[in-house]
Amino acid sequence: MTRDPYGPTNRLPGAASATRYVPGHADAFGDRLVMLADEGPALDILRFHDGLAATPGFETALRAGFAEVSDFRHPTFAIVHGVYRLEVDGRLAIVSERVEGQRIGDFLGQTPRVGLPPGVVAWLVRELTGALAALQSHARGTFHGVLTADRIVLTPAGELRIVEHT
């Protein structure tokens, strides 16, 4: 078995069976690796940019946010497994369930700019409103200030999923 550079010290979910990592989506928060496993689901590892991770209080707030929502389950939200310091490079990261699909931010960033039909916008608002209300009911002090189009994924099955909500 190949040694997993992102486990086992960090006890990443599925790390014992991880066989390869491929680059994923990158944005203002950091870059992602998709962890593919022989068994079990693929995972996303969001490695925060060093400047963001070094901001005083960021890691503490991130860990507190994770603690607030670690047991929250809702069909619209991807499961976040934890906050880690990666063994290989010491970077701060969150590991979550991999959600296949297209991020709304990628769709809106296309050139030429393509607008969304009003019916789709109404559906998005309805789905997001219900999901965010459920999150706020679960953790009363929770807010969604970093929810951007890059955190909203449309799956191939036509479902809306929110990722990295910690």
Side-chain angles (χ1 to χ4, degrees), residues 104-116 149:
I104 299 272
D106 292 342
F107 178 75
L108 295 176
Q110 292 177 352
T111 304
R113 186 152 179 127
V114 178
L116 294 173

Side-chain angles (χ1 to χ4, degrees), residues 15-94:
S17 64
T19 56
R20 59 199 176 284
Y21 296 87
V22 295
H25 181 77
D27 60 21
F29 285 99
D31 65 310
R32 285 152 194 82
L33 293 174
V34 179
M35 185 175 91
L36 302 170
D38 290 332
E39 298 176 14
L43 300 172
D44 273 341
I45 302 172
L46 166 55
R47 300 180 303 176
F48 290 99
H49 290 299
D50 292 337
L52 181 59
T55 302
F58 177 79
E59 183 172 353
T60 301
L62 180 65
R63 289 183 184 280
F66 172 73
E68 286 286 319
V69 299
S70 63
D71 62 342
F72 175 67
R73 298 294 181 266
H74 187 278
T76 304
F77 288 87
I79 296 170
V80 177
H81 295 288
V83 177
Y84 300 88
R85 280 276 171 193
L86 300 176
E87 176 185 341
V88 69
D89 56 12
R91 289 178 65 184
L92 182 64
I94 60 173

Side-chain angles (χ1 to χ4, degrees), residues 99-103 151-155 159-161 163:
V99 175
E100 295 295 335
Q102 185 173 11
R103 292 173 186 259
R151 306 272 171 279
I152 304 167
V153 177
L154 293 176
T155 71
E159 299 170 335
L160 178 109
R161 299 291 302 275
V163 299

